[in-house]
Structures are given as structure tokens and as C-alpha cells.
Amino acid sequence: MTRRNRSTSHLPTHRVGASGLPLLFLGALLASALGGCSGDAATTEHTISTALVVQPDSTHAGHDSFAGEVRARYEPDLAFQVGGKVIERLVEVGDRVEKGQPLARIDPRDVRLRLDASRARVAAAKADHDLALSEQKRYQTLLERKVISQSQYDSVSSQLEAAAAQLRQARADLEVARNQAGYAELRAPRNGVIMSRQVEVGQVVAAGQTVFTLAADGDREVLIHLPENRVNQVSLQQDVKVELWSRPGDHYDGRVREIAPSADPQLRTYATRVAFTSGDVPADLGQSARVFFPQGGTRMSIPLSALTAEDGAPYVWKVNPADQTLVKTPVRVGPYQEDQVPVLAGLQAGDWIVAAGTQLFREGQTVKPVDRRNRQVDFGDGGH
């Protein structure tokens, strides 16, 4: 029978962990590690962060472009000069019309009745005038015989003058009625194409209400819409280039002819018309086009990720080359592009700015600037 060794039964036993080290030793190591972490937390505030930096890019400079549509220079709105019910519409949108061609008619019965009434008023006024003239001649004879006084004769003469004035007024009203009878038919004022139609047969229209819009033959131009932050940078008679989407790569000379004085109430853009100055441009109505505005001087662009804003004011983090600290730098920018934004003011071509993670930095923070290849940027003697 095996005898148990009592001398070892009172020794303390140590459990062994999976790593082969006693658990008490592992606990000591963990406590030491925790103590070390608390010391590192005190020094993280002084850690220098790495910042991806870039310089403004001038390769995107040169021009701004805006999409537009080829339109006629003259686009009159056509309307009846008298009100009435539309009884006939003779053209459709897209139809070519000639000068003087009938486009629509309204019910002529009312204007014809007014014409008849005017003729009747002329006849009545002429009868009154003839009677007053006869009376004036009779009283003149009596005055010569000294049968009546001068005042009686003057009264009859005044009645003749009033009758003559009423006759002239009635004849003028007759001319107006005759014109209005002709206004019952709307005719094309010049050659062109019907661009739009706003009425239907059976609709009652007022005088001056638009019925058709005509694109007159002749000069063609491009209609674009400038945003509010760009309209002040465009001037009348400014030279531009125009590219038709049907002819990519072909550029035609153009000039800003007209800028709307106020913004569209819905789009908040300014309608701008660009006239072609090239000789023969194969531009048809409704074609799409793009207008290019050359920019003088050097235009810079930065990545969209480098731009941030505070209270609506855009700014970037610029690196001070002397001590590699960050400087909050306000900038003025142009229209946003797909992944770039042009900088109009606030930066120089040689400046270095933070290109990503802008929300993680603060004013005066020291950084370690690196480029897109993760190479540290060397500022030399503090210059760019």
C-alpha cells in the first residue's frame, strides 16, 4: 500500500494557466500593464497627429461651363387684341408659319355687333351735324336782317361745333370697331416656328392673353441660367465659347447679349442669353449646348474633402511651414464640381492644406504632414 507523503500535503498549490505561467504571475503582469496604460493616457495629448496634405491644383482652372438650350433671338408671345371665345385653332406646336398666316380665331359675333353699333352712331351723329349746320345757316340769314341778336346766332354756331365733334368721335369709334373686327383672327407677325401653345378651342381668352409663342426666323442664341454666386462675375458683351452637344469638340464664338435683371422666383437663377458671333453655326431650335466662360489669371481648385464650414463660412486647415501647426484659413469658393471646388480667394498656389479628416483637427495643432504616397512633406527652411 502506497504511503502518502504528508510533508508535501501542507505546501501551497499554484494553479497553472494555459500559457504555462502561474495565474498569480499573470495577474501581476496585468496590473503592471494597466499601470503603464494610465501613464500613456497622460501623454496622448502631446502626440503629433499625421495629416494628409495637398497643394491647390491649377489644372482645373481655365473656364466655367453652363449647359443651355438653343433658342431664337426673337420669341414674341402672340395674343388676340380683343377678348372672346376661341372657336378655331389652325396650327400646332412645331409648325412652321409664314408672315400673315392665320393661327387661330375667336367668335366674331360680338365684334361685329360692336361694328354695327358704331355705324349706327355715325349715322346719328351725321344727322345731328346736318341739322345743326342747317340751323346755323338759317340763323346767319336772320342775323344779317337783324331779326335776331348776335348771342342767339353764337348759340346756334356752338351747337354746330358740338355736333361736328360728335361726328368725328363717332367716325373714330367706327374705325376702332372695324379694326377689332379684324382682330378676331390671330395672324403670324413674321416667319417662324410655333414653340408653345397656351389655349384650346372653346376657351375664353382676354385681350393680351398669350395664345402662342413664336420662334422667329433669323439669329439663334443659347439660353443658360446663371446661379446667384456666379452672375456678378459675368458681364454683358463678354466673349465666350459655345459647344453644341450634337457636335462635340467644335467650339463657336459667342458673346453675352442679355442678363436678366432679377432672378427667377422658383429657380433662383438668372436667365442669360449668349449670341453666336461666328459666321455660320449649324444650331437648330431646342438643341443642347454648353457655354464656356474663360477665366483670367490662375484659378485654383482643392478637393471637396479639404473644405469645411462654420456658420456657413467655408474654410480650410493650412499648414504653417515654420512650425507645422494648423491655421484656420477662410476661403471664397466658386461653384462646386464633382470632386473639386474652385478657390477664388484665400489661398496661394504654394500653400499646403489638410486634404482629409478636417473635423479631427483644431487651431494651432502640430501635425506631421504627409503626401498621398505617405511620404513626409519637407518644408525646407520654412518655405513652401
Side-chain angles (χ1 to χ4, degrees):
M1 183 175 182
T2 306
R3 182 178 296 177
R4 180 179 296 176
N5 188 351
R6 297 181 179 270
S7 62
T8 61
S9 61
H10 300 287
L11 294 176
T13 60
H14 300 279
R15 298 179 63 186
V16 178
S19 62
L21 294 175
L23 291 181
L24 290 178
F25 181 66
L26 290 176
L29 289 177
L30 179 61
S32 175
L34 291 175
C37 288
S38 62
D40 292 340
T43 62
T44 54
E45 183 178 354
H46 304 288
T47 301
I48 298 178
S49 300
T50 299
L52 174 63
V53 296
V54 296
Q55 289 182 308
D57 186 6
S58 61
T59 60
H60 296 274
H63 63 262
D64 286 338
S65 63
F66 298 91
E69 177 186 4
V70 176
R71 304 283 289 269
R73 178 168 184 175
Y74 300 102
E75 297 178 347
D77 292 331
L78 309 183
F80 290 103
Q81 293 181 251
V82 293
K85 180 180 179 180
V86 179
I87 61 173
E88 193 174 10
R89 177 169 49 79
L90 305 174
V91 293
E92 297 288 348
V93 174
D95 288 350
R96 170 162 290 280
V97 297
E98 303 294 331
K99 181 179 180 179
Q101 177 179 339
L103 307 178
R105 297 187 179 96
I106 61 174
D107 191 342
R109 288 178 294 181
D110 290 341
V111 292
R112 287 175 181 173
L113 290 175
R114 286 195 290 269
L115 178 59
D116 292 340
S118 296
R119 286 171 178 164
R121 284 193 293 272
V122 169
K126 188 175 185 306
D128 291 340
H129 176 267
D130 292 343
L131 177 60
L133 179 60
S134 176
E135 285 292 301
Q136 189 266 348
K137 290 180 178 179
R138 187 169 65 88
Y139 270 68
Q140 184 177 6
T141 302
L142 294 175
L143 178 63
E144 292 173 354
R145 296 178 181 178
K146 302 199 183 289
V147 176
I148 61 174
S149 64
Q150 182 67 40
S151 62
Q152 289 177 312
Y153 174 78
D154 293 342
S155 177
V156 173
S157 298
S158 177
Q159 292 176 4
L160 175 61
E161 293 178 0
Q166 290 177 356
L167 178 59
R168 290 194 297 270
Q169 179 181 358
R171 286 174 175 170
D173 291 341
L174 177 60
E175 288 300 318
V176 172
R178 284 173 178 168
N179 292 337
Q180 290 181 342
Y183 296 155
E185 186 174 71
L186 180 62
R187 295 178 176 271
R190 57 191 303 175
N191 299 345
V193 177
I194 300 298
M195 288 185 57
S196 64
R197 167 180 51 82
Q198 284 80 31
V199 300
E200 292 289 350
V201 173
Q203 182 176 345
V204 176
V205 297
Q209 179 179 341
T210 300
V211 177
F212 299 103
T213 299
L214 177 69
D217 288 348
D219 296 339
R220 296 290 182 256
E221 55 190 23
V222 179
L223 173 65
I224 60 176
H225 297 274
L226 294 177
E228 293 178 307
N229 64 345
R230 189 67 180 86
V231 66
N232 291 331
Q233 302 170 25
V234 175
S235 59
L236 291 174
Q237 304 303 316
Q238 180 177 346
D239 292 328
V240 297
K241 294 291 185 180
V242 181
E243 180 185 37
L244 301 176
W245 285 14
S246 61
R247 294 175 174 265
D250 294 341
H251 291 82
Y252 304 94
D253 294 332
R255 184 171 298 149
V256 177
R257 184 183 68 82
E258 179 183 284
I259 302 175
S262 60
D264 183 277
Q266 295 181 343
L267 301 177
R268 304 308 305 167
T269 56
Y270 291 78
T272 302
R273 287 181 173 265
V274 175
F276 290 103
T277 56
S278 299
D280 186 15
V281 180
D284 295 327
L285 291 174
Q287 281 187 325
S288 297
R290 185 171 290 276
V291 178
F292 297 89
F293 289 83
Q295 299 298 323
T298 302
R299 285 284 304 277
M300 297 178 295
S301 295
I302 61 174
L304 279 174
S305 58
L307 187 68
T308 186
E310 182 177 357
D311 296 331
Y315 67 91
V316 297
W317 291 115
K318 185 170 69 173
V319 181
N320 184 352
D323 55 6
Q324 298 184 2
T325 58
L326 297 181
V327 180
K328 182 179 178 181
T329 305
V331 293
R332 183 164 60 91
V333 298
Y336 285 53
Q337 301 172 4
E338 182 177 357
D339 56 358
Q340 296 275 328
V341 58
V343 177
L344 307 179
L347 289 179
Q348 301 295 328
D351 290 337
W352 288 92
I353 62 172
V354 176
T358 55
Q359 71 278 6
L360 303 177
F361 298 98
R362 65 184 184 276
E363 178 78 17
Q365 180 178 351
T366 301
V367 296
K368 175 185 176 182
V370 298
D371 61 16
R372 295 188 182 277
R373 296 184 181 181
N374 204 30
R375 299 175 302 184
Q376 184 170 356
V377 177
D378 184 11
F379 293 107
D381 296 330
H384 292 149

